[in-house]
Amino acid sequence: MINKTKNLNNVYLYLEEMQSVAHKSFWIPSIWNTIGYKDVLDQKNGEISVNPYAFIKACIDYILDGEKSGLFHENNDLSKSVIYNSLVRYSTAWDYNDDGKIESGTFLRTIILLPMLKNYGVDILYVLPVTKYSTLNQKGDIGSPYAIQNYFELDPNLHDDLLDGMVDFDIKREFAALIEACHLMGIKVVHDFIPRVTARNSDLIEKHPDWVYWIKIEHIEGFKPPEIPELGFFEECTPEKIDIIYNSCETAVHLEKFSHSPDKLNPELWERIKQMSRETGEDLLTLVELEMKITTSPAHSDWINDVQPIWTDTTFLRLFMDVTPSVQKYLKADQAPYIMFDTIKGNIFPAGIPNQGLWDIFEEVLRHDMEVYGLDGFRVDIGHTLPVPLLQHLFNVVKKIKPDAILISEDLFNSNHKKAKSSGYNIMLGSGWNIMSKISKKTLVDYLKELPSLEINIFACAETADTPRITSRNGGINLARMMGVFNYFLPNAVPYITTGFEVNEKQPLNCGLADNTNGAEIPRAFFNKIKIDWTNQYAEDMNLLLRRLYSIRKEYLGLIKPDNFTIPETPEDIIIYAYVQKQKMLVCCFNLNMDNEINVNLEKVFSGIKELRILADTHLNSIDKKLTDCIVLKPGQAIVAVKY
């Protein structure tokens, strides 16, 4: 295990040494200067120019001073947490040189954000994949971080050239230094673990070509899962549907597209191709496509008749070396290994022969990431499809290393909370992203009613890395601010900030869920080099609102309990939820109407309430203002108040 601050200390000493060296201008958004750094060299349009070495050293000084003074505390209670979701290359991407070119975010520059995140109450930093990914068949101009090429290597683009002069300090140590900085601030770090898919040309293929699925090259154009007209849109694959799926006419055509792996098709040619790749440096999969006319099968959704596009840059990993018994009768004797809705869902359709070598790799990856970097947990990508024995084994491995590890389920529906908990997860995505994609009083109230009975915490958010931004929906910034308030005080729900939400960013990371773009080719951070609009005119207002919401939540955590939660009857387009305990009351009011203001008589909503004190107001950002029994909520306005 790396020493607690060994890597961060090495970075600090190097920055200290370099701060007197001449450097190019280094421009950053002013909003990043949470620490009040005073040696600003220049400023313009929401940006400041600083000495990069001196500024980042000052950020680390702030962290070290806070840790020494007891400013930061570790939290092991998820009900008190706030999560920040970061794509490292995007969260701190910026035109640092002021030359019109965006530079990638890095591990080092993410440290700059930590003081700002701490002001929102963030104590869990959830980072999207930082592993080395493939650019073969890439989406967009830089490719998806989910096309994992090698589990044990990091994305080289996340190295910071400010550290080029450090001797024997590789990118793994840069990542470890970031995690050390987080830990000093009481922030745990969770990483995406991707056990279900891998890059189409994954490094695993050379030694284990039969660990993925292969199709004949002539079928790659337009490849997709079969449509099942006998079933509806976006249906889950369950045992009672197997007969319908395998007797559907398109399924037989689909199965014919698959091929045996190259080592089985032609062992001698396969060995020659591998040797050629090693000698020339040519991509192994590209050579297989040329010489053997087969390629790895693109991955796709496990839901039947899903309109989500296929994932052209990834392929599924074979968790079993056979198929589940219930489908064998539908297959020809010489059927090549294939991927279908059921084969993806190893949780429901486990087969008989586990791919033990692959399962062992998964365990090795988790051990490596926790022991080398000091990670505190994982979100398991498409984890709901893993075989239960595999999932439980991996969780046992993680918890043996770190008993309080954070394990996040990607499950999309609150209704699966018991299943997620029994599988070993301690937090899950849940339904909020979907409920809040089309705001209505009924759906929000129904959502609120189910929260107190959940057995596991869910993400409280109106957007994720896989959805469009809330600011892109009807209501724009007013809606985003209102939903920011809505999500900071929910029972059994952890406030969740998708990077960029704190400044009302409009460009999405991805739009795979609840898409409102109609398939438009817009820049997305998953696939394109873009930056967050940190300097927009509304950025500081949202930043201040989130800081205020955290201070309120922190003060009233003792009141914000499921048993104290109530949802009173309210006028049309108005939602009020509150926490009531004896004489204490915290009230959250929302006008869902984006066009009209609405009068609300609080005395009718809460009998006997004459006066409240405003703690937060999305339109005014005013506090300590008295709120009488009759109030007027403006379009999209949210107010948080307490009883005197």
Side-chain angles (χ1 to χ4, degrees), residues 584-597:
K584 296 179 181 178
M585 178 182 287
L586 181 73
V587 181
C588 301
C589 310
F590 309 90
N591 180 3
L592 305 185
N593 193 308
M594 293 297 155
D595 300 310
N596 301 309
E597 61 182 34

Side-chain angles (χ1 to χ4, degrees), residues 238-270:
T238 51
E240 66 273 11
K241 296 170 186 170
I242 288 297
D243 189 63
I244 296 172
I245 293 169
Y246 279 87
N247 284 318
S248 191
C249 56
E250 278 200 35
T251 298
V253 176
H254 181 72
L255 295 178
E256 288 293 328
K257 297 176 181 178
F258 287 84
S259 167
H260 290 282
S261 56
D263 58 319
K264 304 290 193 301
L265 278 183
N266 190 328
E268 294 79 12
L269 179 56
W270 168 239

Side-chain angles (χ1 to χ4, degrees), residues 210-222:
D210 60 337
W211 285 9
V212 296
Y213 298 88
W214 298 82
I215 59 171
K216 299 158 192 171
I217 196 72
E218 68 258 30
H219 299 305
I220 189 64
E221 189 69 31

Side-chain angles (χ1 to χ4, degrees), residues 24-41:
K24 296 180 181 178
S25 61
F26 189 81
W27 288 90
I28 62 171
S30 303
I31 202 170
W32 290 1
N33 187 17
T34 309
I35 63 171
Y37 182 75
K38 297 187 183 304
D39 294 330
V40 173
L41 304 175

Side-chain angles (χ1 to χ4, degrees), residues 88-94 96 103-107 109 157-158:
V88 172
R89 73 182 190 194
Y90 166 65
S91 293
T92 54
W94 198 251
Y96 291 93
E103 295 179 46
S104 172
T106 67
F107 295 128
R109 297 178 199 200
N157 298 300
L158 301 181

Side-chain angles (χ1 to χ4, degrees), residues 266-445:
N266 190 328
E268 294 79 12
L269 179 56
W270 168 239
E271 291 300 322
R272 291 200 300 273
I273 290 173
K274 287 196 295 181
Q275 184 64 29
M276 188 186 310
S277 176
R278 286 192 288 264
E279 291 175 354
T280 66
E282 292 181 81
D283 182 77
L284 180 60
L285 179 63
T286 301
L287 290 174
V288 171
E289 291 173 344
L290 288 171
E291 300 291 334
M292 302 185 76
K293 308 304 180 188
I294 60 172
T295 189
T296 46
S297 165
H300 55 78
S301 168
D302 58 299
W303 289 78
I304 301 165
N305 298 332
D306 188 357
V307 296
Q308 186 177 169
I310 63 165
W311 310 327
T312 54
D313 53 351
T314 61
T315 190
F316 278 107
L317 289 162
R318 287 184 69 191
L319 299 181
F320 293 95
M321 304 310 289
D322 60 344
V323 295
T324 192
S326 62
V327 304
Q328 290 177 352
K329 64 183 179 182
Y330 301 101
L331 306 176
K332 296 179 180 178
D334 61 347
Q335 174 64 51
Y338 67 94
I339 197 72
M340 277 278 284
F341 311 111
D342 57 295
T343 58
I344 298 172
K345 298 178 78 68
N347 59 323
I348 298 177
F349 301 97
I353 307 174
N355 185 351
Q356 193 59 52
L358 179 60
W359 291 25
D360 291 344
I361 289 283
F362 292 156
E363 178 179 339
E364 187 180 351
V365 169
L366 297 181
R367 289 186 182 277
H368 170 272
D369 287 357
M370 297 183 78
E371 293 171 356
V372 173
Y373 306 128
L375 283 169
D376 301 289
F378 301 91
R379 187 207 71 139
V380 186
D381 188 60
I382 325 180
H384 61 285
T385 68
L386 292 184
V388 174
L390 170 59
L391 192 65
Q392 291 177 339
H393 173 69
L394 295 178
F395 284 179
N396 287 337
V397 168
V398 169
K399 289 177 180 178
K400 192 169 184 179
I401 298 172
K402 192 161 290 192
D404 60 348
I406 299 165
L407 297 167
I408 301 173
S409 169
E410 193 189 5
D411 206 302
L412 305 177
F413 303 101
N414 287 359
S415 57
N416 291 331
H417 65 109
K418 291 184 179 180
K419 183 176 73 174
K421 183 180 180 181
S422 66
S423 297
Y425 292 105
N426 45 27
I427 189 168
M428 61 184 270
L429 170 55
S431 308
W433 63 273
N434 187 32
I435 298 298
M436 298 174 209
S437 66
K438 294 181 180 179
I439 301 294
S440 77
K441 180 172 180 176
K442 183 181 186 311
T443 55
L444 284 178
V445 169

